[in-house]
């Protein structure tokens, strides 16, 4: 399929995938990059930092500083209550969407 | 022959020693990042995040390679980090619409370009706007003309509709 068509969709979904990754516990940016690197949603820090700071502004995620052995302290992100609620909402919406897409496909079959 | 410049990055106590062309590359990257993040209320924090990460990667290259970093080092690190994409954050939080601003437009003006400006703003034919104006002026026994005079003083001016569209496109970008 034309990759450009899917780009907008991918971009919009990225935020929810980050919510899902952060929900697995305390993660820092390199963890997020690594989890996404093998997927269709591979991204870079130049995209991630502005997005994470926006998500923090919206109080979906929060971070705390933690010392690192090999450089400056790192921001470890975790989900807030609002973030967890939004992720649950998104998961429900997503499964209703996939059901919808499946069902719409079946409408081509003759009904009796 | 390259000059060596010390550059300090957020979160890193020690400055990095880089060639002047490498310094320029880094400088340009951060400048572009600042421009793209101009509307981001947390732009200073995001720049800090970027600098911490750039520094960490540069330190890694310093340990295994040259003490003075060259353009190749910087290019590799910046490619890994990628261009700052404020769009991902913007898409997730669409800007409120209606940022189109009203201008007076000189091109095609009859009096002061208020109607041509309004027409461009509302995406209407300027004739329609003029008839509405004249109509309102008649109905209000000329009182509505005050609105025109007020608009003359308040609205900024551009010379053509193309220029107006370019300004609007820039505002919405």
């Amino acid at each position: 399929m034309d990759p450009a068509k899917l780009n907008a969709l991918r971009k919009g979904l990225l935020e929810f995938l980050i919510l899902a990754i952060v929900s697995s516990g305390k993660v820092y940016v390199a963890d997020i990059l690594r989890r996404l690197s093998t997927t269709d949603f591979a991204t870079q820090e130049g995209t991630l930092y502005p997005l994470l700071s926006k998500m923090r502004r919206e109080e979906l995620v929060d971070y705390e500083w933690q010392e690192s052995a090999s450089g400056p302290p790192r921001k470890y992100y975790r989900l807030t209550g609002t973030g967890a609620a939004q992720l649950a909402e998104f998961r429900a919406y997503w499964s209703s969407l996939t059901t919808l897409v499946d069902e719409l496909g079946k409408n081509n079959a003759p009904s009796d | 022959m390259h000059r060596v410049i010390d550059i300090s990055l957020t979160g890193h106590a020690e400055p990095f020693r880089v060639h002047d062309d490498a310094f320029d590359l880094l400088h340009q990257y951060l400048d572009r990042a600042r421009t793209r993040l101009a509307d981001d209320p947390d732009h200073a924090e995001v720049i800090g995040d970027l600098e911490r990460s750039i520094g960490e990667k540069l330190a890694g290259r310093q340990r295994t390679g040259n003490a003075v970093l060259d353009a190749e080092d910087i290019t590799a690190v910046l490619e890994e980090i990628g261009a700052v994409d404020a769009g991902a954050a913007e898409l997730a939080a669409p800007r409120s619409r209606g940022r189109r601003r009203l201008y007076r437009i000189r091109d095609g003006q009859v009096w002061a370009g208020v109607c041509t400006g309004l027409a461009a703003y509302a995406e209407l034919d300027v004739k329609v706007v003029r008839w509405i104006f004249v109509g309102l002026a008649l109905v209000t026994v000329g009182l509505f003309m005050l609105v025109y005079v007020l608009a003359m003083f308040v609205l900024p001016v551009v010379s053509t509709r193309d220029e107006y569209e370019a300004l609007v496109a820039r505002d919405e970008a």
Side-chain angles (χ1 to χ4, degrees):
Chain A
M1 202 191 319
D2 177 9
K5 276 190 187 170
L6 287 176
N7 262 347
L9 182 66
R10 252 189 236 119
K11 245 183 159 177
L13 281 177
L14 185 59
E15 180 175 342
F16 296 105
L17 297 194
I18 292 170
L19 278 182
I21 294 171
V22 175
S23 76
S24 68
K26 283 200 309 186
V27 296
Y28 84 113
V29 162
D31 297 324
I32 301 176
L33 288 172
R34 197 168 29 238
R35 285 291 279 114
L36 291 174
S37 64
T38 52
T39 72
D40 221 14
F41 293 85
T43 186
Q44 291 180 298
E45 284 159 275
T47 303
L48 224 43
Y49 288 129
L51 188 52
L52 280 167
S53 90
K54 192 218 63 150
M55 290 167 74
R56 190 198 55 82
R57 250 190 338 267
E58 292 174 351
E59 296 178 358
L60 300 172
V61 298
D62 199 3
Y63 65 80
E64 59 184 57
W65 290 100
Q66 212 156 301
E67 292 301 321
S68 130
S70 65
R74 290 167 177 169
K75 288 176 176 175
Y76 278 82
Y77 290 88
R78 57 180 184 76
L79 232 52
T80 64
T82 321
Q86 193 169 102
L87 178 61
E89 215 173 284
F90 172 74
R91 287 204 155 120
Y93 179 62
W94 184 253
S95 76
S96 78
L97 257 190
T98 50
T99 315
L100 176 69
V101 171
D102 287 349
E103 277 172 4
L104 287 176
K106 280 176 198 139
N107 280 354
N108 289 334
S111 56
D112 50 0
Chain B
M1 203 44 214
H2 286 293
R3 274 192 309 135
V4 174
I5 301 175
D6 282 350
I7 184 165
S8 39
L9 293 170
T10 307
H12 296 266
E14 292 292 315
F16 293 89
R17 316 214 70 202
V18 301
H19 283 160
D20 49 3
D21 56 347
F23 175 85
D24 290 342
L25 285 173
L26 188 53
H27 211 274
Q28 284 158 17
Y29 175 87
L30 290 171
D31 272 351
R32 272 197 303 275
R34 277 192 200 95
T35 312
R36 288 185 187 157
L37 294 168
D39 291 336
D40 189 325
D42 291 321
H43 56 94
E45 186 170 355
V46 176
I47 296 289
D49 289 336
L50 291 166
E51 288 193 8
R52 256 187 302 277
S53 176
I54 292 169
E56 229 172 302
K57 294 182 208 309
L58 290 179
R61 295 182 81 87
Q62 256 176 346
R63 275 194 295 276
T64 55
N66 302 324
V68 180
L69 298 155
D70 58 20
E72 211 177 299
D73 290 311
I74 299 284
T75 306
V77 167
L78 294 182
E79 266 171 19
E80 192 184 336
I81 289 181
V84 166
D85 180 8
E90 262 171 29
L91 188 79
R95 282 245 198 96
S96 55
R97 282 279 138 199
R99 280 176 56 94
R100 279 177 91 89
R101 283 188 54 197
L102 197 51
Y103 288 87
R104 287 192 282 136
I105 300 178
R106 288 232 183 278
D107 192 30
Q109 69 184 16
V110 168
W111 197 13
V114 172
C115 287
T116 40
L118 258 174
Y121 176 84
E123 292 174 338
L124 288 170
D125 189 327
V126 66
K127 277 187 213 126
V128 176
V129 177
R130 287 203 175 108
W131 278 117
I132 294 173
F133 242 98
V134 170
L136 281 169
L138 287 175
V139 169
T140 58
V141 207
L143 221 100
F144 199 71
M145 286 313 290
L146 279 179
V147 174
Y148 192 101
V149 174
L150 199 69
M152 247 173 77
F153 287 106
V154 171
L155 298 181
V157 195
V158 295
S159 41
T160 66
R161 187 155 179 166
D162 281 347
E163 195 180 319
Y164 172 78
E165 294 299 342
L167 277 170
V168 167
R170 196 201 58 195
D171 283 350
E172 284 176 350

